[in-house]
Amino acid sequence: MAVLDDVRALGTELERSYPVYVRGSRVGQIVYVAFSADETVMEFAFPKEERAALVAGEPEKFRLPAQSDMRFNWVRAVLAALEPAEAREFVVDAWRMVVPQKVSRAYDLAHPGGPG
């Protein structure tokens, strides 16, 4: 069972990334992961063309984003349904979607085993 603390450190470890705490308003930066106020739902960047299969394959874990966010590359996950390593991998994959390839390649070289 994953919890917020399993992925929180990635907010400062991933290059060009930092945590922001917001209540009810949008952040003026590129956002690749977000958590519900009660820390039970993790929303993250995910390819639009793959999300229906992800949700259909594991509906106990994944949900489509809010209708207003369907135009974005975004998906929701029930945090407690994820394993900690799985949650970290989704966060890093989401981050890879928003940074230049040279930045993500440098991370991969420094972390050949993934985010653990």
Side-chain angles (χ1 to χ4, degrees):
M1 177 174 115
V3 296
L4 180 59
D5 284 340
D6 291 322
V7 297
R8 186 187 312 264
L10 291 171
T12 55
E13 291 174 14
L14 296 172
E15 189 174 338
R16 300 182 184 197
S17 184
Y18 56 90
V20 176
Y21 301 94
V22 179
R23 294 269 188 233
S25 61
R26 295 227 177 241
V27 177
Q29 300 291 324
I30 295 173
V31 177
Y32 63 90
V33 66
F35 297 90
S36 61
D38 64 3
E39 300 179 4
T40 62
V41 175
M42 179 173 82
E43 296 181 294
F44 54 95
F46 194 83
K48 282 191 276 190
E49 57 278 353
E50 297 175 24
R51 70 180 170 204
L54 180 72
V55 172
E58 296 186 271
E60 69 285 354
K61 287 185 181 183
F62 302 105
R63 310 276 189 280
L64 291 174
Q67 188 62 39
S68 61
D69 290 335
M70 287 295 287
R71 67 183 187 271
F72 301 115
N73 291 316
W74 210 244
V75 72
R76 291 179 175 180
V78 176
L79 199 53
L82 301 175
E83 293 297 321
E86 181 181 28
R88 286 188 292 272
E89 189 64 38
F90 279 120
V91 169
V92 171
D93 286 347
W95 168 80
R96 283 186 178 106
M97 289 180 67
V98 302
V99 296
Q101 287 184 352
K102 69 178 185 175
V103 174
S104 64
R105 279 194 299 268
Y107 176 84
D108 293 338
L109 289 173
H111 301 86

